[in-house]
Structure formats: C-alpha cells, structure tokens
C-alpha cells in the first residue's frame, strides 16, 4: 500500500465521520491554542516588566537608606542605627569615576492648589539629573535647571495629569501654584510615560531637592538614584557607592544598593518560571485531548470492525491496518494543532488590538512544543486503538460477533 | 490446484469442543465449479474460511498451487489472499462511505498499484458487471443485487485464481440472486475456480460438483458432467 493512498484513505475515513472528527479536532485545537496563548501571556508579562525596568534607564543603581536583609527567612530587618541619607552623601558620590550622574530624591505628599482647585499629590524633590536618570521627557517648557542642589528655588515641573486637573486647557507655564504653604512657578510639564516602577508620573510635582527638604522639614533623602558610566561599570559604581557612604557613616554599611540588573533578573526568572508553569498546566489539556482521541478512535475501531475485517480478507496486512489508523490519529492531531494555532494567533491579534501596550509575542519554542506534543499525544494514544484494529480476527470481525 | 488433506478444525465453546471440520480431504482442479451444501452448523463457512486463508486448520495440510499454506506466516497469507483469492459474502461487506468505484479499487490500493492503472481496471470491472453508470454511487444508493455485483467486481479485480462465495444470494430476491449466480458462472467460464456455499438446492445443483457436509465431515459428492444441468 502506498503512503499517499494510506493518507487519502485516512482523510476519507475522517471526512466520512464528520461529528466524530470535529469533536477530536476541537479537543486538540483547544489544547494547542491554550498552550500557545498562555505562554504568550506569560512571555508578554515578562517582557512588560523588562520594558518597565529599562524605562528607568539602563544602568541605574538605587540607593535606599537602611540595610535591608533580603536573604534569610525572618522579616526584613533594618540593622544598625540607619542614619539618614543626606544631600551631602549624595553629592559625595559624584567623586567616583564609575558614576556618571546622581539624582537625589526627597519625597513627600502635599496638597497642591491653584486658585480654588486643590489636590493631594506626591512631591518629588530632585535635581536636573533626574530627567536623564529616569528617562523623563517634557511635553512643554523646561526641566529643573543645572544649579547648586543645596539652593532652594521656587520652581516646579508638573505631570500632565496634574496640569489638566489644575489648569484644564489653559496655559500653565509661568503660572504660580501653591504647594503646602509655598508658592512655586510652573516651568515645565512632563510627557506622560505611564506607570514607572509603581509611580504615576502624571500625578507629581518635581521641585528642587533643597526646597523639598525644607518643605517637608527633613534632612533625609528617600532614595539616591545613581547612573553608572556604562553597563560594565555598574558593579564598580555599586562598590563605590557602598565605600563612599560607609566612610561617611562611621564605617557602617547602613544602606541598601539595588542594581537594576539584579531586579530585572529576579523578575525575569520569576516570570520565566511562571510561563513554564502555565505552559505545563496547559499541556494537561493536550494530554486530555490525546485521551479523547484514544477513546474516540477505540469507538471508531469497534464501529468499523466489519471494515477492518474486510480489509484483512482482501489482503490487508496487519502493519498496513495499524498504519491506516495511526495515520488517522496523526492527521487528526496535526489538523487539530493547525486549527489551534490559527485560534491562538487570532486571539492574540485581538488581544493586541485591545491592549496595544502589552507586548504579546508567541515564543517559537511554545509553537514548536505545542505542535510536537499534540502530534506525539495523537500518535501515542492512537497506538492502542490501531493495535486493536490490526489484531482483529477477520472472521470474527466480518461476522460481527 | 488445491488439495486439502485431513483438515481438522475445532472451536472451544465453554468447556465443550465443537468439531467444525473433521478429517476433510478435498481436491479442486483449476477452473472447477463446486457448490457446498449441508445443514446449518455443518462447517461450510469454516471450510470456506480455511480455503480463503482467513482461518488456519488445527491439523492437516492445505496446498495452494503446490505451496503448503500451513507453513506461511500471517503477512504471506495476507499477500496470498490479496493476489490469489477473491471473497464474496452474504452481506456484501462494502464500505459504506466509499462509492462503488472506490470499493472496487481497494484491493488494487492494497497491492500498491498506480492510480492511473487502477482507474482503468476499476472502470473495466464495473463495465463487466454492468455498473458503469453506478460508479459514483454509494452502497446505500444501490440495490442488493447491484451491491453484490460491486462486491464481485472487488473480489475479481486482482484476477484471482480462486473465487469463494459464502451464500452470495442469501440476502437477495430470486431475480437478483439468479443474476449474481450467472455473473459468477460467467467468471468460472473464463477459467476462475469457483466455490459457492449455498442452502438453495437449485443453485447448488448448477455446479459441476456438489459437496454435501454434515457435522463437519464431507458425506458425499454429486459429480455432474456439465454445469447448469437440471435438478436430479
Ligand atoms: N468462531 C467460532 N467460535 C466457536 N464456534 C464456532 C466458531 N465458528 C464456527 N463455530 C462453530 O462451528 C460449527 C460450524 O460453523 P459454520 O459457520 O462453519 O457452519 P455453517 O455450515 O456455515 O452454518 P450456516 O449454514 O448456518 O452458515 C458451528 O457449530 C459453529 O457454532
Ligand atoms: Mg455459514
């Protein structure tokens, strides 16, 4: 028997039993589609987080006051005496050759008002360096000018959302707004960037760091953002930060230094394993599809007993009958997988239209493994029915006993 | 051409042993026309199945064209069935989803013959059966007699030397039955060896030899000089 003939015989048998065939195709398609869609979602989540981090700037180091023990099983400890990070600490970091920019960050919540409108927002005290370090962009006006960071100045750059809420469509540049009990002149408006590390920059006001410190009456900084000279100098810069601050803090290492790479690889690892887990769970549906194929094929074998007996009587060999049924199972799973891939691609396309900012990409490995697993399950679960068919006694099969 | 020697075949049913065939010895020459008759359960179908290599005897020898078929393995027996033996069944056994031409084509497909040659041979076989205009009809669109003639076309498409028919008219009315028998006899006249199992004495008596079976044994043989003779 020629292979091409065996295939067309299989196709005829499958198209001859429509509802049975559709049932199995559906099961296989759902299995394959869910594997592909779920891995695309997992992979998308991973890329989304990675993008978020890289929008922070590619060689960022974050310095946090207090030593946070991230290892160990007890709740995070703040060891030592945890001295404040001061502006002087921040400025001292500029000495290191591995460090390109520093942006001190003082943070607080304050009411902001313009005429009768008042809102509670986050006020960020920083320097001109914040703009390159956090990859901020301006919609209008200017950012904080390069100036002595220890000098106060009554100027502010506000987020676009805040601008709309306070000024509507009116011009905001040059207007005076009130933060707490002080007046600041608006010199710039930020471009919307969306969420960046959990902070909505549409809803903030940036003022010079010295002004923020006096506004909130504190010497301490919330963070120091450090940009290393380059990606390779991140470890050196991190060490420099630790050394310099330690020296200034009576030889006590009372800061936590987070590099973006470390954060990124942690999240990357988490999302990668999440994707694998989800893909694994989805493959269970493939196995279920395989079992369904086996069941339906077994029913097909018993329904087609007479046919199998006849093929044997007119000279069909055992292995030819085996091959016929395996080809049927293989065709089913291949066609099911193809339908599943079409379903997956169209759902992902629809999702992409609905959430354009979420990067949905079907990884090639998930496509390949979904196809592979569906073919393997189809054939594996096809073996039992095929063997049963091949072993039928032709006389018994023809007699329908 | 065919020689059965001391064939025995028994079935275990529960703790009982049913002797379906007892020491059956039989010779068939090429071109013979033989009918097998006997009461129900006498072993006629069992004998036919052994002749058709669908069943193996418990003891004895079956020579088909000098080959002792009892020494063949399962695959060789399948090939022998495909190339040398044609079957016609009481209930036709056509594959319902395939049309007449496709049903007839099956043995050629199994033998791995090229599609072009297949189409030619199928068309010729259907024409011979007077079914050319029914080639694209599925079995459920054909009458009983037409179905049986499709089955005969399928059984003879490989030009076998031996044609076995187990009650080929059992499911047919008198008229279609006669047509089918005439078709089989025409094939016999062209040289095919024909064995027909039947309950119908009128059909049985048309053969050149009639073998009578009782209880698994051949109890008598009525030889005739010419086929189509009158009932004794
Ligand atoms: N597969 C089997 N298992 C058990 N017993 C069987 C089997 N096949 C046949 N027999 C028994 O062997 C005996 C002969 O059966 P066979 O089918 O050859 O009879 P038959 O002459 O063809 O009868 P009928 O005219 O009714 O078709 C019967 O007693 C039957 O019950
Ligand atoms: Mg019988």
């Amino acid at each position: 028997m020629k292979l091409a003939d065996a295939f067309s015989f299989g196709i005829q048998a499958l198209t001859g039993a429509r509802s049975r065939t559709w049932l199995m195709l559906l099961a296989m398609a759902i299995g394959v589609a869910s594997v592909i869609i779920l891995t695309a979602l997992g992979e998308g989540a991973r890329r989304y987080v990675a993008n978020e981090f890289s929008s922070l700037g590619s060689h960022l180091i974050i310095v946090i006051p207090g030593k946070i023990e991230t290892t160990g099983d007890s709740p995070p400890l703040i060891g030592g005496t945890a001295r404040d990070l001061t502006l002087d600490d921040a400025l001292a970091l500029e000495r290191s050759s591995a460090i390109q920019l520093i942006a001190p960050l003082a943070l607080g919540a304050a009411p902001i008002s313009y005429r009768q409108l008042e809102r509670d927002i986050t006020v960020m005290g920083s320097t001109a360096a914040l703009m390159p370090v956090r990859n901020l962009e301006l919609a209008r006006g200017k950012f904080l000018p390069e100036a002595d960071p220890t000098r106060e100045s009554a100027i502010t750059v506000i987020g676009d959302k805040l601008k709309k809420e306070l000024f509507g469509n009116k011009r905001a540049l040059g207007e005076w707004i009130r933060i707490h009990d002080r007046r600041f002149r608006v010199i710039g408006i930020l471009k919307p960037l969306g969420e960046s590390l959990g902070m909505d920059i549409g809803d903030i006001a940036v003022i010079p760091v010295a002004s923020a410190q006096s506004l909130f009456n504190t010497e301490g900084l919330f963070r120091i953002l450090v940009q290393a000279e380059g990606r390779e100098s991140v470890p050196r810069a991190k060490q420099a930060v630790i050394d310099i601050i330690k020296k200034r803090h009576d030889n006590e290492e009372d800061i936590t230094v987070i590099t973006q790479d470390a954060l990124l690889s942690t999240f990357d690892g988490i999302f990668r394993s999440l994707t694998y887990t989800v893909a694994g769970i989805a493959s269970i549906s493939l196995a279920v599809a395989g079992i369904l194929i086996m069941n339906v094929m077994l029913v097909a074998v018993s329904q087609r007993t007479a046919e199998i007996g006849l093929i044997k009587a007119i000279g069909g060999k055992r292995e030819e009958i085996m091959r016929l049924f395996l080809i049927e199972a293989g065709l089913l799973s291949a066609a099911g997988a193809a339908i599943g891939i079409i379903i997956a691609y169209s759902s992902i396309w629809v999702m992409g239209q609905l959430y354009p900012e979420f990067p949905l990409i079907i990884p090639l490995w998930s496509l390949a493994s979904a196809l592979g697993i569906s073919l393997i399950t189809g054939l594996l679960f096809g073996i039992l029915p095929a063997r049963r068919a091949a072993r039928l006694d032709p006389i018994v099969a023809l007699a329908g006993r | 051409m065919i020689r059965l020697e001391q064939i025995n075949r028994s079935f275990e049913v529960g703790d009982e042993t049913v002797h379906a065939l007892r020491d059956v010895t039989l010779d068939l020459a090429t071109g013979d026309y033989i009918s097998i008759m006997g009461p129900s359960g006498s072993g006629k179908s069992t004998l036919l199945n052994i002749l058709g290599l669908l069943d193996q005897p418990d003891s004895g020898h079956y020579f088909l064209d000098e080959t002792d078929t009892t020494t063949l393995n399962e695959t060789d027996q399948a090939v022998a069935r495909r190339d040398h033996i044609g079957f016609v069944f009481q209930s036709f056994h056509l594959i319902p989803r395939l049309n007449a031409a496709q049903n007839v084509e099956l043995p050629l497909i199994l033998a791995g013959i090229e599609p072009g040659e297949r189409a030619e041979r199928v068309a010729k076989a259907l024409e011979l059966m007077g079914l050319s205009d029914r080639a694209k009809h599925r079995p459920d669109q054909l009458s009983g007699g037409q179905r049986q003639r499709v089955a005969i076309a399928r059984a003879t498409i490989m030009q076998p030397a031996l044609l076995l028919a187990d009650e080929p008219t059992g499911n047919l009315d008198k008229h279609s039955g006669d047509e089918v028998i005439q078709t089989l006899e025409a094939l016999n006249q062209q040289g095919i060896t024909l064995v027909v199992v039947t309950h119908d004495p009128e059909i049985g008596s048309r053969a050149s030899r009639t073998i009578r079976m009782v209880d698994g044994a051949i109890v008598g043989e009525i030889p005739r000089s010419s086929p189509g003779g009158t009932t004794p």
Side-chain angles (χ1 to χ4, degrees):
Chain A
M1 190 169 193
K2 287 194 168 61
L3 205 59
D5 291 323
F7 270 95
S8 54
F9 188 88
I11 291 168
Q12 257 166 348
L14 290 174
T15 48
R18 289 255 162 73
S19 52
R20 179 166 68 82
T21 302
W22 277 118
L23 185 70
M24 292 198 276
L25 285 180
L26 191 69
M28 204 32 112
I30 289 173
V32 169
S34 52
V35 169
I36 296 175
I37 291 173
L38 288 175
T39 45
L41 285 174
E43 183 71 6
R46 191 179 71 78
R47 278 168 199 246
Y48 182 72
V49 170
N51 281 347
E52 284 294 288
F53 274 99
S54 53
S55 75
L56 278 173
S58 58
H59 13 271
L60 188 70
I61 298 168
I62 301 170
V63 187
I64 304 171
K67 180 84 190 155
I68 301 167
E69 302 289 346
T70 47
T71 51
D73 36 24
S74 49
L77 283 174
I78 303 200
T81 42
R83 289 166 47 159
D84 277 347
L85 272 176
T86 64
L87 195 51
D88 288 338
D89 289 333
L91 296 176
L93 295 179
E94 275 179 337
R95 287 204 312 262
S96 164
S97 63
I99 291 169
Q100 189 182 36
L101 286 171
I102 60 131
L105 210 59
L107 206 72
I112 181 166
S113 61
Y114 174 72
R115 303 210 171 132
Q116 272 74 42
L117 292 167
E118 187 175 296
R119 298 257 296 112
D120 277 313
I121 52 136
T122 305
V123 176
M124 228 183 227
S126 192
T127 62
L130 183 69
M131 183 144 105
V133 168
R134 291 266 322 241
N135 286 346
L136 299 179
E137 282 176 72
L138 285 169
R140 229 163 240 286
K142 288 197 283 278
F143 199 68
L144 302 178
E146 299 277 355
D148 180 358
T150 56
R151 293 259 317 259
E152 292 188 35
S153 177
I155 50 174
T156 181
V157 176
I158 59 175
D160 70 307
K161 195 170 144 203
L162 184 62
K163 185 259 166 191
K164 270 193 207 100
E165 285 175 355
L166 290 183
F167 297 97
N169 287 328
K170 278 180 289 176
R171 187 181 164 84
L173 288 185
E175 294 295 316
W176 288 86
I177 55 172
R178 185 174 287 277
I179 300 175
H180 215 266
D181 54 353
R182 298 174 190 215
R183 279 154 48 85
F184 290 84
R185 196 160 56 87
V186 177
I187 59 162
I189 293 152
L190 293 171
K191 238 190 207 166
L193 257 185
E195 293 264 323
S196 171
L197 250 200
M199 198 173 286
D200 184 356
I201 66 153
D203 218 11
I204 58 166
V206 185
I207 59 175
V209 62
S211 308
Q213 283 179 317
S214 87
L215 187 70
F216 297 120
N217 193 24
T218 170
E219 284 280 287
L221 293 173
F222 173 66
R223 298 270 189 278
I224 303 172
L225 305 180
V226 176
Q227 183 168 311
E229 282 287 344
R231 212 184 173 82
E232 326 72 49
S233 44
V234 166
R236 214 151 52 80
K238 179 180 175 178
Q239 198 50 51
V241 168
I242 293 171
D243 291 345
I244 293 168
I245 305 278
K246 203 166 159 185
K247 201 181 259 172
R248 293 177 54 86
H249 286 197
D250 302 331
N251 251 342
E252 207 172 311
E253 198 186 318
D254 57 357
I255 51 163
T256 304
V257 181
I258 301 171
T259 60
Q260 197 198 342
D261 275 357
L263 267 179
L264 191 58
S265 63
T266 308
F267 274 95
D268 208 57
I270 292 171
F271 277 96
R272 219 177 266 281
S273 48
L274 193 80
T275 305
Y276 291 145
T277 313
V278 164
I281 293 168
S283 349
I284 293 173
S285 61
L286 274 181
V288 172
I291 291 170
L292 187 74
I293 286 195
M294 176 170 72
N295 268 309
V296 182
M297 288 300 282
L298 281 175
V299 172
V301 168
S302 55
Q303 275 174 352
R304 281 158 64 189
T305 315
E307 173 186 329
I308 296 160
L310 173 90
I311 292 176
K312 284 199 151 184
I314 61 176
K317 296 171 205 155
R318 201 181 258 234
E319 63 264 25
E320 284 173 333
I321 289 163
M322 177 104 184
R323 198 188 310 150
L324 281 179
F325 277 83
L326 277 182
I327 284 175
E328 267 186 49
L331 280 172
L332 270 177
S333 26
I339 296 174
I341 288 171
I342 293 170
I343 293 176
Y345 269 97
S346 24
S347 344
I348 291 214
W349 183 82
V350 169
M351 281 191 257
Q353 298 294 306
L354 294 178
Y355 307 100
E357 67 283 356
F358 194 72
L360 276 171
I361 288 146
I362 295 177
L364 216 63
W365 63 263
S366 89
L367 203 64
S369 57
L371 256 173
I373 295 171
S374 69
L375 262 178
I376 289 168
T377 45
L379 289 179
L380 215 62
F381 288 108
I383 285 176
L384 186 71
R387 272 168 59 135
R388 182 168 295 186
R391 288 186 178 173
L392 277 176
D393 178 351
I395 301 169
V396 176
L398 284 169
R401 264 182 249 182
Chain B
M1 175 211 190
I2 284 176
R3 180 164 173 74
L4 296 180
E5 278 176 7
Q6 301 285 315
I7 297 285
N8 279 286
R9 180 73 170 105
S10 55
F11 297 99
E12 307 290 335
V13 183
D15 358 292
E16 267 182 79
T17 306
V18 179
H19 291 276
L21 294 178
R22 299 170 202 264
D23 291 333
V24 170
T25 296
L26 184 66
D27 276 289
L28 294 183
T30 304
D32 257 358
Y33 176 14
I34 289 195
S35 63
I36 304 175
M37 300 193 67
S40 190
S42 56
K44 307 183 293 295
S45 295
T46 306
L47 178 59
L48 209 66
N49 288 337
I50 284 180
L51 281 173
L53 293 175
L54 285 176
D55 199 6
Q56 280 68 57
D58 298 328
S59 66
H61 290 280
Y62 169 14
F63 295 94
L64 178 63
D65 285 334
E66 315 292 308
T67 331
D68 186 351
T69 63
T70 42
T71 64
L72 297 178
N73 65 23
E74 198 185 305
T75 305
D76 291 338
Q77 287 185 349
V79 172
R81 281 200 296 274
R82 188 184 75 195
D83 296 342
H84 304 300
I85 300 167
F87 274 101
V88 177
F89 306 94
Q90 178 176 354
S91 49
F92 323 132
H93 284 304
L94 301 176
I95 296 178
R97 64 170 181 278
L98 303 181
N99 65 32
Q102 289 167 330
N103 267 291
V104 175
E105 193 185 10
L106 266 181
L108 300 175
I109 292 179
L110 286 173
I113 289 166
E114 294 299 330
E117 189 187 340
R118 281 186 338 227
E120 224 168 88
R121 282 169 72 170
V122 168
K124 215 176 272 170
L126 285 174
E127 195 189 319
L128 213 65
M129 294 295 139
L131 289 169
S132 293
D133 52 338
R134 295 281 185 269
K136 293 275 177 288
H137 291 221
R138 271 186 286 114
D140 57 2
Q141 298 161 328
L142 298 171
S143 75
Q146 288 169 336
R147 284 185 218 181
Q148 195 60 299
R149 277 182 285 145
V150 172
I152 294 170
R154 179 181 64 195
T156 52
I157 192 85
M158 290 294 291
Q159 294 168 327
L162 178 62
L163 185 57
L164 306 170
D166 196 349
E167 297 180 41
T169 60
N171 280 4
L172 302 176
D173 59 49
K174 171 100 177 63
H175 177 71
S176 326
D178 283 347
E179 264 181 15
V180 162
I181 287 296
Q182 277 158 22
T183 309
L184 292 175
E185 284 170 356
L187 289 163
N188 172 247
Q189 241 122 58
Q190 284 157 33
I192 206 165
T193 310
L194 177 63
V195 182
V196 180
V197 168
T198 182
H199 281 290
D200 185 340
E202 199 180 314
I203 290 170
S205 62
R206 294 166 70 104
S208 51
R209 290 167 68 188
T210 297
I211 287 164
R212 175 155 286 283
M213 289 187 73
V214 173
D215 239 356
I218 295 177
V219 292
E221 186 175 333
I222 311 164
R224 286 179 204 86
S225 51
S226 67
T230 47
T231 331

